[in-house]
Amino acid sequence: EENSPIEEAKTDFTDLDNVKWAEEAISVLAARGIINGRENRRFYPEDKISREEFTKLIICAFNLEDENARSEFSDVDKNAWYYKYVASGEKNGIINGTGDGLFGVGAPITREELAAMIYRCAALKGIELSADAEYLPFDDDEAISEYAREAVESLAKNKVINGMGANMFMPAESCTRAQAAKMLYEVCRRMS
């Protein structure tokens, strides 16, 4: 079986040495034009990723961009670069705000927020996630918010997400660019 050019494509980011576990994910998503580096061939894998930045990634990865979508969030400026991505996510039921009619622009996305968005996208796109695999609870399971619990359990069972060491999921921790790329890649690989 021939390898697709996307699988062979390697990016030339110079700052991935400390995130070898995410290197393939970053390279493939970059080759597909879903994620970009920044200046001087750097990806900045340890930087936090904001809610709107991740929304753009997931909308592009799943081809859910809708030019006609409208956002009802009061903190989403219709002239902002992220408007159509947030609006598309809102229209497709992938994103919920942070309460009080706000999207949470500028806030770093948490690990459980990201898991919930990925899980909703997988359901929307009909991506098969095994219900049979065993869920091995994280030691901080009780810290996972109710809205994200099913998402975290399903994605952990299916090896889309992992803990942070010492069997901790750390649901409220901010997600890094490398972690976001890895989780997104793992679910994108399951798209037929």
Side-chain angles (χ1 to χ4, degrees):
E1 187 175 298
E2 285 182 42
N3 284 338
S4 76
I6 281 177
E7 284 166 13
E8 291 172 359
K10 287 284 174 231
T11 52
D12 57 354
F13 295 128
T14 58
D15 58 348
L16 302 183
D17 285 350
N18 293 333
V19 291
K20 290 290 186 199
W21 50 269
E23 196 167 1
E24 180 183 6
I26 292 165
S27 294
V28 171
L29 293 177
R32 290 182 182 174
I34 293 167
I35 57 173
N36 301 304
R38 295 180 180 160
E39 75 285 342
N40 302 325
R41 294 178 26 227
R42 294 173 66 82
F43 182 71
Y44 294 92
E46 305 292 349
D47 281 10
K48 293 179 170 79
I49 186 165
S50 72
R51 288 173 54 80
E52 62 273 21
E53 286 169 335
F54 185 71
T55 299
K56 178 186 179 189
L57 293 189
I58 200 166
I59 294 301
C60 291
F62 287 96
N63 297 315
L64 293 170
E65 214 171 303
D66 183 340
E67 297 292 338
N68 299 315
R70 297 284 167 259
S71 177
E72 299 297 321
F73 294 120
S74 60
D75 60 340
V76 174
D77 181 340
K78 66 173 175 286
N79 298 312
W81 65 264
Y82 50 80
Y83 180 85
K84 69 179 171 185
Y85 305 111
V86 172
S88 298
E90 206 174 329
K91 183 174 180 177
N92 283 290
I94 291 156
I95 53 177
N96 299 321
T98 55
D100 299 324
L102 299 172
F103 171 68
V105 171
I109 195 166
T110 67
R111 289 171 52 79
E112 67 179 3
E113 287 169 346
L114 189 141
M117 285 175 66
I118 287 179
Y119 184 65
R120 291 177 199 133
C121 254
L124 183 70
K125 286 297 203 174
I127 295 170
E128 287 290 323
L129 293 172
S130 169
D132 300 333
E134 186 184 1
Y135 175 62
L136 301 169
F138 294 107
D139 289 347
D140 59 350
D141 254 15
E142 74 288 342
I144 299 168
S145 298
E146 198 53 47
Y147 78 86
R149 192 170 299 278
E150 184 181 344
V152 171
E153 288 184 13
S154 177
L155 296 177
K157 275 198 259 189
N158 286 275
K159 309 265 189 284
V160 172
I161 59 175
N162 300 303
M164 295 279 286
N167 198 40
M168 303 291 275
F169 180 65
M170 300 188 174
E173 283 286 305
S174 299
C175 212
T176 67
R177 285 168 55 82
Q179 289 168 354
K182 174 72 170 159
M183 290 186 233
L184 190 56
Y185 171 67
E186 288 301 331
V187 82
C188 283
R189 289 197 316 163
R190 291 163 168 80
M191 278 202 291
S192 46

